[in-house]
Amino acid sequence: MTSGPINPLAITDYTLTTALGVGLERNWSQLSAGKGGLRPCTFAGIDDLETWVGEIDGLDALDFPREQQSYDCRNNRLALLGLGQDGFTGAVSAAAARYGAERVAVFIGTSTSGIHETELAYRSLAPDNSGLERLPADYCYEGSHNTYSVAEFVRRTLGLRGPCSAVSTACSSSAKVFACAHRAIAAGFCDAAVVGGVDTLCLTTLYGFHSLQLVASDICRPSDSGREGLSIGEAAGFALVERGDATPRGMRLLGYGESSDAFHMSSPHPEGDGAVIAMKTALERSGLSFGSIDYINLHGTGTRGNDTVEAAAVCRIFPADTPCSSTKGFTGHTLGAAGIVEAVFALQCIEHDFMPETLNTRRVDPDIRACVLLQSRSGAVSRVLSNSFGFGGSNCSLVLSGSDA
Amino acid sequence: MNSVYVESVGLFAPGLNGWANSTPVLRGEAAYVEDELPRYRPTLLSGNERRRATDSVRIAFGAGEDAVHGRLDEAARLASVFVSSGGDYRIHDQICRGLLKPEKHISPTLFHNSVHNAPAGYWSIATGSAAPSVSLCAYDYSVAAGLLEATSLAFADRCDVLLVLSDSDVSEPLVEKRPVTRPFAAALWLAPQQSDRALARLTVSLSDGPARQPDPQVASLGTLCHGNPAARVLPLLEVIARSEPGSFNFPLASGGAMHVHAAPVDRD
């Protein structure tokens, strides 16, 4: 396998919607002001789960296009809201006009897509005349629960005709979409791609992570000595990527690294071997040395296992004073959308020469020796590494920079 | 235009249990008999992991282990692409039923088995492979999506890739909404360069369509081929088994097509 320097991808437009707000500006104003978006969980009438969530309001009240009715579900409503911000659809239309709609691919990461529709449909399971249990007539599996639903909804909404896939590798999904886009462009299957991630709150993840004892009853406090676990959030983020040598515009994806832990389905490798491979490969592809990363956006879920192992892995590679923070105290862990959320935060950090604090964290765990920022910091940020790790031992690291790096 | 070489094929489906056993059927030399598929027992997983492995993991292993048979020492270096049009339907059924109960209990194993990349996770554990792995879904267009990703990965990283296409059958009550009634799994070991093991060369490109899902030459495989999204790869497997050239236009969601040309590889 080769992982030498690659032709960078140009990231010519991007947008973000999280519990911090709708669109880039609101997200940045909250992030830079140290104001989080988490609140105690009341999602879907839940009253037996003490936890905090990053919930996005107003999705039920959105006008959903009639011609896409079969795709109507919470996840696609969030995708629709996200796509409508920051002039993103206009930028995609311009790219489709430039390259041809069939030359623009779509790669969307999600972990649970519209599974909440199935959770709700099961409440209405009823036997028919022959005694067979039936789901409600208006329930549409293809347009909601199916993992591909959100990718196809995005493709249709943007009017694109290139190849289209949902990438579903749990919490690394929407970091890996950048790798998929880079490969597909390098192989000549497309000239540009819309990449992104959309995941919404659902009972499966709230109660599922709870059963693994990974959900905090307290608010998420990444790297804190008293951290209890994660807070779950929802988000939609998208980026338009093109060949770097085709345009001087835009930010840059300099490198990506993917690896598998080959250790356990839901626990990270104890020494972070998989994480180290992902970070090193991303650096090799970017042609950068270990000392040239200005800031690391950690996966930083707030679980005891992830934060210790990730910090140890970071310290195996990077100088001890490399500033790091986790932004999951702001947004919650947005699972299949975490990769794009944190890639967009990384791009904004570069634009604003700013490194966000690790919100809610009071005292860094003494076992964590990485330079975890408890206060935000202003200073030159040219190159950022962003980590995303998921169940199944799926790891992905991205190296991002400004256009002139 | 991108070319990759098929180093080996794995197959695990009703009446097509193993590539070597199935080639006479795919060549039209033996009748297709659709028999019950036994529950696959992965040999590469340790006892604990094997007990936790779900049906969808097992069928993916049925094809994957068949494809790497006899070359296990090389399995750890294979990048992988796992494609399923729907993930593990039975796990989602159990989770949704669990959520209806007052205590809303989901077991930890059930939850970690519910991720779309569960087969990929078990595979990397089984083979000790730290190589990149992508898990995809493209509904009824998943075969084309998988071929595109695997070809791109082999091209960009100059590495061998194991492409696993698998879909389990759907249980009640979802089967009414997603009528997949037979399990199917196939695995293709794809290499960027020709070796003396190569069975065929695949050249993959996109076209503006229109396209129609290709039919298998063996008419009795039609029900399986059209009844499980992963089994749509069967017409391609037939020409590989026959060492014949063949051209296929696999439909894409966009209305376009993925053109796959298979050519036999000359051997001395």
Side-chain angles (χ1 to χ4, degrees):
Chain A
M1 189 182 340
T2 55
S3 53
I6 57 166
N7 290 321
L9 272 186
I11 305 171
T12 49
D13 251 289
Y14 54 92
T15 182
L16 184 64
T17 292
T18 72
L20 293 178
V22 177
L24 277 179
E25 199 178 308
R26 180 73 180 160
N27 270 277
W28 188 251
S29 69
Q30 296 297 96
L31 190 76
S32 54
K35 291 181 181 164
L38 301 179
R39 63 188 187 212
C41 177
T42 56
F43 172 75
I46 289 174
D47 58 6
D48 55 358
L49 204 56
E50 193 186 336
T51 188
W52 293 60
V53 291
E55 183 175 351
I56 294 168
D57 293 320
L59 294 178
D60 292 338
L62 277 184
D63 276 334
F64 200 82
R66 279 191 67 82
E67 66 276 14
Q68 300 230 57
Q69 207 170 6
S70 63
Y71 284 85
D72 191 355
C73 63
R74 183 175 182 83
N75 209 55
N76 291 337
R77 283 176 168 261
L78 178 52
L80 182 70
L81 179 66
L83 285 171
Q85 309 309 314
D86 300 308
F88 187 73
T89 51
V92 173
S93 297
R98 205 155 59 242
Y99 295 114
E102 75 287 353
R103 295 292 297 169
V104 184
V106 177
F107 298 105
I108 303 296
T110 188
S111 66
T112 50
S113 196
I115 196 174
H116 188 49
E117 290 298 309
T118 307
E119 296 168 351
L120 296 174
Y122 265 64
R123 293 180 183 173
S124 309
L125 270 183
D128 64 10
N129 293 338
S130 59
L132 268 181
E133 283 181 315
R134 295 283 179 142
L135 288 159
D138 62 352
Y139 161 78
C140 175
Y141 167 77
E142 179 181 358
S144 62
H145 175 159
N146 186 263
T147 303
Y148 180 63
S149 160
V150 61
E152 178 65 7
F153 176 72
V154 168
R155 189 192 69 76
R156 290 179 183 210
T157 302
L158 296 173
L160 297 175
R161 289 190 286 114
C164 178
S165 282
V167 175
S168 193
T169 53
C171 306
S172 64
S173 303
S174 61
K176 288 175 77 79
V177 293
F178 285 92
C180 293
H182 189 273
R183 286 191 275 270
I185 290 173
F189 287 121
C190 55
D191 296 313
V194 170
V195 300
V198 188
D199 246 339
T200 27
L201 294 176
C202 62
L203 306 180
T204 300
T205 47
L206 281 162
Y207 288 97
F209 277 111
H210 178 69
S211 81
L212 284 164
Q213 299 180 304
L214 294 177
V215 173
S217 54
D218 189 13
I219 197 166
C220 160
R221 303 181 191 277
S223 298
D224 193 282
S225 52
R227 68 189 181 280
E228 286 181 5
L230 45 86
S231 302
I232 296 173
E234 53 191 353
F238 303 96
L240 174 64
V241 299
E242 309 173 45
R243 297 184 73 95
D245 51 15
T247 174
R249 288 183 56 238
M251 313 289 277
R252 290 290 187 270
L253 174 81
L254 295 182
Y256 60 88
E258 300 164 281
S259 72
S260 307
D261 267 2
F263 176 69
H264 189 268
M265 281 301 289
S266 54
S267 304
H269 185 279
E271 276 84 48
D273 284 1
V276 166
I277 294 171
M279 289 188 277
K280 278 188 171 173
T281 309
L283 277 175
E284 284 163 19
R285 283 209 170 93
S286 64
L288 295 175
S289 66
F290 302 130
S292 46
I293 295 297
D294 300 310
Y295 163 67
I296 298 173
N297 187 293
L298 298 166
H299 185 52
T301 56
T303 63
R304 296 221 67 91
N306 176 82
D307 294 2
T308 311
V309 167
E310 183 181 14
V314 164
C315 292
R316 280 170 62 184
I317 301 176
F318 294 97
D321 59 350
T322 308
C324 308
S325 61
S326 163
T327 44
K328 288 192 169 65
F330 289 90
T331 59
H333 187 357
T334 59
L335 309 177
I340 188 74
V341 168
E342 288 152 36
V344 169
F345 283 161
L347 297 174
Q348 292 270 283
C349 289
I350 294 164
E351 293 232 334
H352 297 276
D353 281 325
F354 182 91
M355 293 164 262
E357 69 199 84
T358 306
L359 190 67
N360 307 326
T361 300
R362 302 155 299 193
R363 192 171 87 84
V364 175
D365 185 336
D367 289 339
I368 290 177
R369 292 192 182 82
C371 176
V372 176
L373 300 179
L374 295 188
Q375 304 287 333
S376 64
R377 192 186 280 187
S378 290
V381 181
S382 300
R383 301 178 192 95
V384 177
L385 178 115
S386 178
N387 280 339
S388 298
F389 308 138
F391 273 11
S394 175
N395 308 304
C396 187
S397 299
L398 305 175
V399 176
L400 300 138
S401 80
S403 52
D404 52 355
Chain B
M1 297 259 260
N2 287 291
S3 288
V4 287
Y5 293 86
V6 179
E7 288 268 303
S8 67
V9 185
L11 198 50
F12 187 70
L16 299 173
N17 191 347
W19 175 249
N21 292 334
S22 305
T23 46
V25 175
L26 297 172
R27 289 187 190 122
E29 297 161 1
Y32 174 59
V33 182
E34 183 184 343
D35 48 14
E36 189 84 358
L37 198 58
R39 192 163 200 245
Y40 189 75
R41 189 172 184 281
T43 58
L44 296 178
L45 280 174
S46 69
N48 265 342
E49 302 291 351
R50 186 162 58 230
R51 272 191 296 282
R52 293 187 189 125
T54 61
D55 287 347
S56 66
V57 171
R58 285 167 190 268
I59 63 166
F61 267 72
E65 290 188 350
D66 188 29
V68 303
H69 180 72
R71 295 174 71 186
L72 282 181
D73 50 329
E74 293 176 79
R77 71 174 172 84
L78 289 175
S80 59
V81 176
F82 284 80
V83 188
S84 167
S85 84
D88 199 312
Y89 299 101
R90 281 185 179 77
I91 294 290
H92 290 299
D93 177 68
Q94 288 175 53
I95 287 175
C96 288
R97 286 181 192 280
L99 291 170
L100 290 177
K101 296 188 174 137
E103 66 278 13
K104 301 193 186 78
H105 181 67
I106 301 174
S107 87
T109 304
L110 200 59
F111 181 57
H112 80 220
N113 278 336
S114 75
V115 294
H116 195 80
N117 60 319
Y122 281 98
W123 183 258
S124 78
I125 294 168
T127 57
S129 173
S133 177
V134 188
S135 294
L136 297 178
C137 177
Y139 203 62
D140 285 347
Y141 315 99
S142 291
V143 168
L147 282 166
L148 184 141
E149 180 66 27
T151 312
S152 301
L153 190 53
F155 172 83
D157 285 10
R158 307 306 298 167
C159 64
D160 286 15
V161 179
L162 186 72
L163 168 63
V164 180
L165 306 159
S166 65
D167 266 304
S168 51
D169 53 319
V170 184
S171 52
E172 296 283 356
L174 194 62
V175 65
E176 184 198 6
K177 306 283 185 180
R178 181 59 167 157
V180 177
T181 55
R182 295 165 173 81
F184 181 92
L188 293 158
W189 180 332
L190 302 173
Q193 265 129 13
Q194 185 175 344
S195 78
D196 54 8
R197 293 190 189 87
L199 301 173
R201 185 178 75 240
L202 305 182
T203 305
V204 178
S205 58
L206 295 173
S207 73
D208 229 0
R212 195 183 146 269
Q213 165 59 35
D215 291 310
Q217 296 182 52
V218 176
S220 55
L221 290 172
T223 308
L224 179 62
C225 178
H226 295 286
N228 180 306
R232 295 179 175 212
V233 76
L234 274 171
L236 175 61
L237 301 189
E238 281 180 333
V239 297
I240 296 172
R242 292 164 186 239
S243 301
E244 279 175 3
S247 281
F248 307 97
N249 280 314
F250 290 101
L252 301 175
S254 58
M258 165 171 272
H259 181 77
V260 181
H261 179 73
V265 169
D266 291 332
R267 289 209 228 179
D268 300 327

